[in-house]
Amino acid sequence: MTQPRLIEPGAVYLVTRRTLRRHHLFAPDPRMTRIFRYALAVAAQRTGVRVHACVLMSTHEHLVVSDPEGCLPRFIHHFHRHVALATKVLRKWEGAVWDHEPTSVVELRTPHAVAEKIAYAIANPVAAALVSRAKDWPGVTTRPDEIGTAIWRVERPTEYFGRDDDRWPPHVELRLEMPRAAHDLAMRDDEFRELVAHEVATLERAARASVRELGGTFVGRDRCAKLSPFRRARSWEPPRSRNPTFAVGRGHHDARIESEERLRAFRSAYRSALDAWRARRRDVPFPAGTWLMREQHAALIASTRVAA
């Protein structure tokens, strides 16, 4: 059985999903950029999710978002559905756009994890040996100085989003919000941006050193902008042996232990409630953070989260 997902209001997440069989369906071009940004802005506005950083690689996405209302699954469903449908129109693509694997959702349990994962997302094009500097990626990306400052104004794409359909406004705005992590670290906004920029620079140096050691080269901005969306990534990729559900940042051992205990307590309480539900007991509450049973079956939810 798939493990239940713990969704609590106010959590911060790294969201990642790949294209089917690593096709370059999101190869950077202005139309793909507009589709992605527009769908992201609409989904965020309709669910209250706050976007802190986003990077769209040719084969996958990285988002760092906050979920004040505890409705991340609704956001993901809305966003991924409409990105896929618009991409199918743009690329004249038949069949699935997204990989059949579940979306990777990693809760960022400490402010250090938030800073590290934002930097990880931003530096991903460099780690993949595509460009030597993150700011050179020609697709959707986020610069550290945009966090908490940038407002993307996006016109409705001509692909898929009907001009005469009231669901789709002619233009939307997407603000890249400053995460709560800055406050939690007792940092000013500019200090947090500097922290992320330092993390990005460290990751860039490591990636450049790795490329040199292997005797390779970076693909380069111009060649990346000419990628065919119908080709597949050919680089070797290790099998996915782990699917983490949380991250705490480097060196935060106590936070890791606390997060593991919290997750175990939630899953144990969930399994007990599910057993009771299957025995037709509808008065047993599921633990706080339960999403699917609440949304699809109107199950009772405990008023406070399960203690670790």
Side-chain angles (χ1 to χ4, degrees), residues 49-231:
V49 164
R50 298 173 182 172
V51 180
H52 306 303
C54 59
V55 175
L56 182 63
M57 304 285 283
S58 61
T59 62
H60 61 280
E61 65 171 6
H62 291 299
L63 305 174
V64 178
V65 300
S66 294
D67 181 23
E69 305 299 325
C71 59
L72 184 76
R74 187 178 299 127
F75 162 80
I76 290 174
H77 172 77
H78 187 286
F79 174 53
H80 284 170
R81 170 178 167 78
H82 296 297
V83 166
L85 291 171
T87 300
K88 287 163 70 74
V89 174
L90 172 65
R91 304 303 192 199
K92 298 179 174 60
W93 180 259
E94 295 183 3
V97 168
W98 296 108
D99 189 348
H100 299 308
E101 292 288 332
T103 303
S104 171
V105 177
V106 179
E107 184 183 357
L108 308 181
R109 295 281 296 152
T110 70
H112 298 89
V114 174
E116 290 173 17
K117 293 304 183 183
I118 289 177
Y120 163 79
I122 294 173
N124 203 238
V126 187
L130 296 174
V131 290
S132 60
R133 298 177 300 178
K135 65 180 183 180
D136 292 335
W137 176 242
V140 178
T141 189
T142 303
R143 299 191 310 270
D145 62 1
E146 290 182 306
I147 302 168
T149 63
I151 301 175
W152 292 343
R153 296 175 176 86
V154 192
E155 292 186 2
R156 180 179 53 216
T158 57
E159 299 84 7
Y160 171 70
F161 299 97
R163 182 175 58 183
D164 299 323
D165 190 333
D166 292 340
R167 292 179 301 166
W168 310 117
H171 64 273
V172 290
E173 291 187 351
L174 177 66
R175 178 183 295 273
L176 297 184
E177 305 272 3
M178 177 62 62
R180 188 185 65 243
H183 176 270
D184 293 342
L185 291 169
M187 286 184 168
R188 301 190 308 270
D189 289 358
D190 60 329
E191 291 175 326
F192 184 81
R193 286 188 282 267
E194 289 175 5
L195 172 62
V196 172
H198 175 76
E199 289 279 347
V200 170
T202 300
L203 293 170
E204 287 178 328
R205 286 193 297 270
R208 288 192 289 265
S210 177
V211 169
R212 285 195 303 269
E213 182 179 348
L214 295 173
T217 59
F218 288 92
V219 174
R221 179 185 178 90
D222 292 341
R223 287 177 62 194
C224 286
K226 297 176 182 177
L227 282 171
S228 168
F230 307 108
R231 298 182 63 182

